[in-house]
Amino acid sequence: MSKYRHWWYPNIARSLKAYPSLILKKDEIRRNSITAKYSGEPTGGGATRSTEDIALRDLPPAEAAIVDAIESALDEISRRRDGDCIIRLIDLIYFRQSHTLQGAAMALNMSERTAQRRHGDFIILTAKKLGYFR
């Protein structure tokens, strides 16, 4: 079995694959209503602070750091001249998980070497955002 060039590469790949589910989880947390339920009738459950509990809920710090780093990397890549192509490449490989690197290159009408280079640029940028690479 071959070794990865950088020890952190599998962590980045797993983080990118988990990104869509983390975004859904983050949206679900924020979608809950945080308005207080005012009623003249007593509730049978005892004293609760449901509004405060909902307002304080957020992703765990490790997951929030992953989401922030990937969003920052996507934002930075989108400002590049070839950014839209890189984002589509990453979307096919990691977010949708429907293509391999070679298959995504063919789907986007680029050479395999260009796809490898653009993929590597994004991986290194994400690693920098996560603090793995300087």
Side-chain angles (χ1 to χ4, degrees):
M1 189 171 166
S2 63
K3 291 185 178 181
Y4 294 106
R5 182 175 180 187
H6 300 287
W7 64 267
W8 43 259
Y9 179 82
N11 295 343
I12 301 294
R14 280 191 299 271
S15 298
L16 287 169
K17 287 180 181 178
Y19 178 73
S21 63
L22 292 176
I23 290 295
L24 289 175
K25 189 176 175 182
K26 183 178 179 180
D27 289 345
E28 178 188 329
I29 288 171
R30 292 188 177 171
R31 197 174 318 124
N32 291 329
S33 174
I34 60 170
T35 57
K37 294 181 182 177
Y38 296 107
S39 173
E41 298 184 19
T43 59
T48 62
R49 298 168 68 155
S50 59
T51 304
E52 183 179 336
D53 291 341
I54 291 171
L56 295 176
R57 250 188 315 175
D58 200 8
L59 288 175
E63 292 177 352
I66 290 170
V67 169
D68 292 341
I70 293 173
E71 285 177 350
S72 176
L74 288 170
D75 183 48
E76 190 171 325
I77 284 289
S78 68
R79 287 183 259 142
R80 287 179 41 175
R81 187 179 74 226
D82 59 347
D84 60 334
C85 192
I86 295 173
I87 290 173
R88 286 189 312 219
L89 181 75
I90 297 302
D91 180 52
L92 290 174
I93 296 170
Y94 292 108
F95 301 158
R96 294 185 191 179
Q97 298 180 28
S98 61
H99 291 72
T100 62
L101 182 63
Q102 293 80 13
M106 286 188 351
L108 297 173
N109 296 322
M110 69 175 74
S111 72
E112 186 177 335
R113 181 67 190 125
T114 301
Q116 288 173 353
R117 194 170 46 251
R118 290 177 175 172
H119 175 263
D121 290 347
F122 186 78
I123 293 293
I124 288 175
L125 179 62
T126 305
K128 286 179 183 177
K129 299 290 183 184
L130 282 170
Y132 289 128
F133 191 70
R134 304 252 178 247

